[in-house]
Amino acid sequence: MPKKGVELGQAKAKGTKRKHAEDAEDGASQACKVYLQGIPRLCQVQSIKDRFSQYGEILDVEIPPMRRNKSKRIAFVSFVKASEAKAALEEDENDFEGSTLKVQLSRANAATEDAPASASSGTGAGTAAGSTASDAPEASIGTKVFVTGFGKDCTENDLTAHFSKCGKLESVSMPVSKSAKTKGSSRGFAILEFSKKKFAAQALKLSKKLKGQDLTIKPYTSSAADEKQQKKASAKKKAKAKEQTKHQYRVVVQGFPKAISEKNLREHFEPCGEIQEIKMPKKKDGELRGVAFISFASKEAMKEALRLDGEDFRDKPLKVVKSDPGKNAAGE
């Protein structure tokens, strides 16, 4: 073969190899990137970094120029590992600055799960910088840690065995996918809760290798979903306590005329003390059942109300007794 033809063939082969390398690098980069929709119009890059840094090391955040007449924007977040990008899918459908996020992988199911993204990828606001999770001061660490990077064959028992050497574990949560295509499969991250903060701090310094996989271990930061759930649980607890208080200082009243209204009963019992609630159950046809439940704010007020037992009210003697929650529940 002429020398010119050989050189041409070699150049072509080098060009093909270079293209394959670029494609592979681009594929790895895309596998480590998530696509966000529903970003508020005035959202800043730092806000996105603060929200998503709990899932892994962020290389870049890009917010493309906004289109006209659009109230929401899109963004791309690039992580070091594909497993970190996969873990960030936890934010899908969560609230973010008053908007509902839509989060999906920029390129689904890359072959190299933990292939590192190119440090020069992206054209956004720059690379996230800062100390590693293990450098975080213990005072700023809670009892929970966020773990990702483990293989698909990793189980709760594997994580428990690996991290229990740091101290007592209260719980190990490995969320599963709810989407139709991957329903039931691990979402690629876990949340571990220790009984003490110092055990969580030890976990951040633990070996990052588990079954041959490189782990990413970071302090856990509550997501909007967590905060919403906590608020819901708190509100439920307060409502339950309030309801228990009502039952604690409640009396059952009978013997009053059927034409009596809640206002009439309130006027009669209000001198006893602060009334929290008056319930007057009705039959299916809307007629009053002839019984009322009056909840007072204090024990003293309830005692005063019980003194009215047997006294006339609208020319009829009232029957006033202390409520028995178990016995009277059906009557309400």
Side-chain angles (χ1 to χ4, degrees), residues 25 43 88 90 92 109 142 154 190 196 206 217 233 263 284:
E25 184 177 350
C43 181
E90 183 191 11
D92 188 42
N109 302 323
C154 184
K196 295 183 180 179
L206 194 62
I217 309 170
K263 182 182 178 182
K284 290 182 179 180

Side-chain angles (χ1 to χ4, degrees), residues 185-202:
S185 61
S186 171
R187 293 178 66 180
F189 66 92
I191 300 167
L192 281 63
E193 183 174 8
F194 290 88
S195 60
K196 295 183 180 179
K197 289 183 179 181
K198 65 178 182 180
F199 299 152
Q202 284 297 319

Side-chain angles (χ1 to χ4, degrees), residues 241-286:
K242 189 176 180 181
E243 191 62 30
Q244 286 176 339
T245 302
K246 289 178 183 177
H247 284 274
Q248 190 174 5
Y249 306 126
R250 189 166 70 168
V251 297
V252 182
V253 182
Q254 291 175 297
F256 51 83
K258 290 185 178 181
I260 285 302
S261 66
E262 180 182 320
K263 182 182 178 182
N264 299 142
L265 282 177
R266 185 175 292 275
E267 289 173 349
H268 188 71
F269 283 91
E270 217 157 28
C272 299
E274 183 186 346
I275 295 174
Q276 288 189 325
E277 180 185 67
I278 295 178
K279 282 187 177 182
M280 299 177 72
K282 295 180 180 180
K283 299 178 183 178
K284 290 182 179 180
D285 59 5

Side-chain angles (χ1 to χ4, degrees), residues 24-36 52 55-61 75-89 103-119 121-122:
E25 184 177 350
D26 181 61
S29 175
Q30 290 297 314
C32 300
K33 186 183 289 187
V34 291
Y35 169 57
L36 312 180
F52 284 86
Y55 301 105
E57 185 179 348
I58 294 176
L59 287 176
D60 185 74
V61 175
F76 296 92
V77 181
S78 298
F79 291 90
V80 172
K81 296 180 181 180
S83 60
E84 296 170 344
K86 187 177 178 182
L89 297 179
V103 185
Q104 58 188 9
L105 292 174
S106 184
R107 177 182 176 184
N109 302 323
T112 51
E113 177 83 4
D114 283 318
S118 170
S121 66

Side-chain angles (χ1 to χ4, degrees), residues 32-304:
C32 300
K33 186 183 289 187
V34 291
Y35 169 57
L36 312 180
Q37 290 177 286
I39 298 296
R41 185 185 182 92
L42 302 177
C43 181
Q44 300 297 311
V45 167
Q46 191 58 48
S47 297
I48 297 176
K49 285 182 179 179
D50 292 342
R51 182 60 169 268
F52 284 86
S53 61
Q54 62 176 304
Y55 301 105
E57 185 179 348
I58 294 176
L59 287 176
D60 185 74
V61 175
E62 179 186 359
I63 305 179
M66 186 168 52
R67 297 177 184 177
R68 289 182 180 180
N69 303 321
K70 293 286 183 180
S71 60
K72 305 295 180 185
R73 307 178 73 176
I74 64 170
F76 296 92
V77 181
S78 298
F79 291 90
V80 172
K81 296 180 181 180
S83 60
E84 296 170 344
K86 187 177 178 182
L89 297 179
E90 183 191 11
E91 293 293 339
D92 188 42
E93 299 298 332
N94 278 353
D95 179 78
F96 180 57
E97 297 185 358
S99 178
T100 301
L101 284 178
K102 181 66 180 175
V103 185
Q104 58 188 9
L105 292 174
S106 184
R107 177 182 176 184
N109 302 323
T112 51
E113 177 83 4
D114 283 318
S118 170
S120 61
S121 66
T123 57
T127 302
S131 59
T132 61
S134 59
D135 295 328
E138 187 173 330
S140 67
I141 299 171
T143 57
K144 293 182 180 181
V145 296
F146 178 88
V147 182
T148 186
F150 47 81
K152 293 181 180 179
D153 61 338
C154 184
T155 65
E156 284 189 17
N157 288 339
D158 293 328
L159 289 174
T160 300
H162 186 70
F163 285 93
S164 59
K165 61 189 76 171
C166 300
K168 184 181 177 183
L169 271 169
E170 294 290 345
S171 65
V172 176
S173 173
M174 295 178 69
V176 296
S177 174
K178 295 180 181 178
S179 65
K181 292 183 179 179
T182 57
K183 191 172 184 180
S185 61
S186 171
R187 293 178 66 180
F189 66 92
I191 300 167
L192 281 63
E193 183 174 8
F194 290 88
S195 60
K196 295 183 180 179
K197 289 183 179 181
K198 65 178 182 180
F199 299 152
Q202 284 297 319
L204 299 178
K205 302 171 185 177
L206 194 62
S207 169
K208 301 298 188 292
K209 283 280 187 181
L210 176 60
K211 300 179 77 173
Q213 298 290 329
D214 291 321
L215 298 178
T216 296
I217 309 170
K218 303 189 70 175
Y220 178 73
T221 304
S222 296
S223 65
D226 290 328
E227 292 172 3
K228 187 176 180 181
Q229 190 173 5
Q230 287 171 2
K231 286 181 181 178
K232 190 176 179 181
S234 178
K236 189 176 180 180
K237 187 176 181 181
K238 287 180 181 179
K240 187 177 180 181
K242 189 176 180 181
E243 191 62 30
Q244 286 176 339
T245 302
K246 289 178 183 177
H247 284 274
Q248 190 174 5
Y249 306 126
R250 189 166 70 168
V251 297
V252 182
V253 182
Q254 291 175 297
F256 51 83
K258 290 185 178 181
I260 285 302
S261 66
E262 180 182 320
K263 182 182 178 182
N264 299 142
L265 282 177
R266 185 175 292 275
E267 289 173 349
H268 188 71
F269 283 91
E270 217 157 28
C272 299
E274 183 186 346
I275 295 174
Q276 288 189 325
E277 180 185 67
I278 295 178
K279 282 187 177 182
M280 299 177 72
K282 295 180 180 180
K283 299 178 183 178
K284 290 182 179 180
D285 59 5
E287 186 182 348
L288 288 174
R289 297 176 63 177
V291 62
F293 298 89
I294 305 179
S295 299
F296 292 92
S298 66
K299 187 176 181 179
E300 292 71 23
M302 181 188 71
K303 283 184 175 180
E304 286 299 316

